[in-house]
């Protein structure tokens, strides 16, 4: 059974007739959570063969799945510049855990010669056969931005045992009448709203405004609330900048801090896909390239393990079903390739480490390119 979100969502489309391949709700939820965790700001590919913007419908399906995880709505009334309002842009909205809505966008199939990234592996596991290669040019407008600051607590074996990220500033205002599910708190000396959960692992999210009315969001994972507050105290904001004081939390490592202008709410990128068949099973290499060279570690989840693959940083992350692992490798700054492993982790690592850039006239592309 595939764990690829695009396929699951396509099969779960309520406009399609149900078949034996129609996934159960839990499969869609698991895949949706994995995609959101790994690429919050990345647009999803449209259906094969479509050159029309098709992301909005997919967002509806993701939102429907995510709604099952929360109960009380919280809405952010977004203020977007007029020149950034793409067709179908909606105000940013979050559920009762304060999660930002990704907004809207589209992904358009492109040809191999148009792709700025063309990666194929030198090493393919025995029994695997190359089935298809395709790419998508993506555009998204919304509030699922890269973190302006990401810090990790990393164990001696490379396992991430705690994570804190600060996102912002966001030019949005909170509707105070719909703050259900949150509690009053303080961040950086300013009033904040706190959403705290302890399902599987502790998780907290704060939303607050700075002195100029900008919105900031902080997320902590893997920590009791008291400890999360102590780590958050090592951060501060000044205008659009966010700072980190390592003396306050010496056991933590800053893996990313934005030094330029705030991330744009309209974002472009490229998704590159290489699909294999393994004894009838689909195995999909997904390569995501964003407009900002944000380090892969900025989205590392608690429980993932940092390793080296061919001189590149890589992460092995357990999946929610426990039977698979997600392997990600930072091919280049801002370019991350991922592949699911089952009992073939070593082979998957070898394949990802062997990814190489190929010219547009590579015979494998000519044979297997598809939209």
């Amino acid at each position: 059974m595939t764990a690829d979100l695009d396929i699951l969502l396509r099969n779960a489309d309520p406009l399609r007739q149900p078949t034996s391949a129609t996934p159960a709700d839990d499969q869609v939820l698991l895949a949706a959570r994995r995609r959101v965790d790994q690429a919050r700001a990345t647009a999803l590919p449209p259906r094969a063969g479509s050159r029309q913007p098709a992301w909005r419908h997919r967002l509806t399906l993701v939102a429907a799945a995510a709604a099952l995880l929360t109960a009380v709505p919280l809405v952010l009334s977004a203020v977007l510049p007029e020149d950034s309002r793409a067709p179908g842009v909606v105000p940013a909205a979050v559920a009762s855990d304060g999660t930002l809505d990704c907004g809207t966008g589209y992904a358009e199939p492109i040809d191999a010669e148009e792709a700025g990234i063309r990666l194929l592996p030198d090493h393919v596991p025995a029994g695997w056969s190359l089935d298809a290669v395709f790419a998508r040019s993506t555009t998204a407008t919304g509030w699922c931005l890269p973190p302006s600051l990401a810090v990790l607590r990393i164990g001696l074996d490379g396992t991430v045992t705690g994570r804190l990220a600060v996102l912002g500033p966001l030019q949005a205002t909170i509707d105070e009448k719909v703050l259900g599910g949150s509690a009053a708190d303080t961040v950086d000396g300013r009033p904040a709203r706190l959403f705290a959960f302890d399902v599987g692992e502790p998780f907290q999210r704060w939303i607050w405004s700075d002195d100029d009315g900008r919105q900031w969001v902080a997320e902590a994972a893997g920590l009791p609330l008291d400890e999360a507050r102590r780590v958050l105290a090592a951060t501060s904001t000044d205008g659009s900048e966010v700072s980190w004081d390592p003396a306050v939390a010496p056991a933590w490592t800053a893996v990313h801090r934005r030094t330029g202008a705030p991330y744009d709410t309209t974002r472009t990128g490229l998704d590159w896909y290489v699909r294999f068949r393994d004894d009838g099973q689909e195995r999909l290499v997904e390569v995501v390239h964003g407009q900002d060279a944000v380090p892969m570690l900025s989205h590392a989840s608690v429980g993932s393990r940092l390793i080296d693959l061919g001189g590149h940083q890589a992460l092995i992350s357990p999946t929610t079903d426990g039977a698979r692992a997600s392997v990600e490798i930072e091919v280049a700054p801002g370019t991350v390739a991922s592949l699911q492993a089952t009992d073939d982790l070593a082979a998957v690592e070898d394949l990802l480490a062997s990814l190489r850039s190929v010219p547009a006239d590579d015979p494998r592309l000519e044979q297997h390119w598809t939209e």
Side-chain angles (χ1 to χ4, degrees):
M1 182 66 68
T2 181
D4 179 61
L5 178 59
D6 301 318
I7 296 171
L8 288 173
L9 289 176
R10 185 167 60 247
N11 290 341
D13 190 337
L15 300 181
R16 291 167 56 94
Q17 294 297 317
T19 70
S20 59
T22 301
D25 289 343
D26 59 347
Q27 293 174 264
V28 179
L29 288 172
L30 291 175
R33 177 162 183 172
R34 178 175 67 86
R35 172 59 69 90
V36 171
D37 286 343
Q38 294 181 351
R40 296 179 61 190
T42 304
L44 302 179
R47 294 171 182 165
S50 171
R51 284 191 174 271
Q52 298 299 318
W55 189 39
R56 190 178 184 187
H57 181 57
R58 292 185 182 278
L59 279 180
T60 302
L61 292 174
V62 172
L68 300 176
L69 304 177
T70 56
V72 183
L74 165 69
V75 176
L76 290 176
S77 178
V79 181
L80 289 175
E82 286 300 321
D83 58 0
S84 72
R85 289 186 180 274
V89 167
V90 296
V94 296
S96 61
D97 62 353
T99 304
L100 290 168
D101 179 10
C102 289
T104 190
Y106 60 90
E108 183 177 18
I110 59 176
D111 295 326
E113 59 269 19
E114 301 177 64
I117 298 172
R118 290 184 293 270
L119 296 174
L120 290 176
D122 289 339
H123 303 156
V124 177
W128 291 31
S129 60
L130 183 58
D131 181 58
V133 182
F134 51 101
R136 302 289 185 259
S137 174
T138 64
T139 301
T141 299
W143 302 110
C144 284
L145 308 177
S148 291
L149 173 71
V151 295
L152 301 176
R153 185 178 60 190
I154 304 174
L156 294 178
D157 64 348
T159 298
V160 176
T161 59
R163 179 180 188 269
L164 175 74
V166 178
L167 292 79
L170 308 176
Q171 297 298 328
T173 57
I174 296 178
D175 185 347
E176 298 289 344
K177 295 181 293 185
V178 287
L179 281 170
S182 68
D185 207 346
T186 302
V187 175
D188 199 17
R190 300 176 177 92
R193 304 301 302 190
L194 165 65
F195 302 81
F197 299 88
D198 193 3
V199 179
E201 67 181 27
F203 179 82
Q204 302 86 27
R205 180 177 282 116
W206 290 266
I207 300 177
W208 74 98
S209 299
D210 63 19
D211 294 338
D212 296 319
R214 303 180 185 90
Q215 298 296 325
W216 295 85
V217 178
E219 301 172 344
L223 308 174
L225 179 57
D226 288 346
E227 185 177 359
R229 283 195 176 107
R230 287 196 294 270
V231 179
L232 183 57
T235 71
S236 61
T237 64
D238 181 8
S240 64
E241 300 299 314
V242 57
S243 299
W244 168 253
D245 184 353
V248 177
W252 291 69
T253 300
V255 295
H256 173 59
R257 187 176 75 86
R258 174 180 53 79
T259 57
Y263 296 118
D264 197 341
T265 53
T266 298
R267 311 180 57 73
T268 60
L270 173 70
D271 293 350
W272 175 269
Y273 299 87
V274 185
R275 189 172 67 202
F276 296 90
R277 293 289 175 181
D278 169 24
D279 193 25
Q281 302 281 333
E282 179 181 291
R283 309 295 293 266
L284 188 67
V285 176
E286 302 180 60
V287 181
V288 177
H289 175 77
Q291 67 187 49
D292 299 295
V294 180
M296 176 189 65
L297 288 183
S298 66
H299 67 251
S301 58
V302 172
S304 59
R305 182 164 54 90
L306 176 62
I307 63 171
D308 178 273
L309 285 182
H312 298 270
Q313 285 192 330
L315 284 169
I316 301 177
S317 305
T319 59
T320 48
D321 62 8
R324 295 172 177 263
S326 174
V327 184
E328 298 176 86
I329 182 172
E330 192 168 49
V331 180
T335 303
V336 176
S338 63
L339 178 59
Q340 292 281 306
T342 52
D343 57 354
D344 53 3
L345 180 60
V348 165
E349 291 178 354
D350 186 48
L351 182 150
L352 290 175
S354 73
L355 286 171
R356 300 287 183 269
S357 180
V358 301
D361 60 355
D362 187 287
R364 292 170 292 180
L365 297 181
E366 182 178 355
Q367 182 179 358
H368 298 289
W369 188 263
T370 180
E371 290 189 355

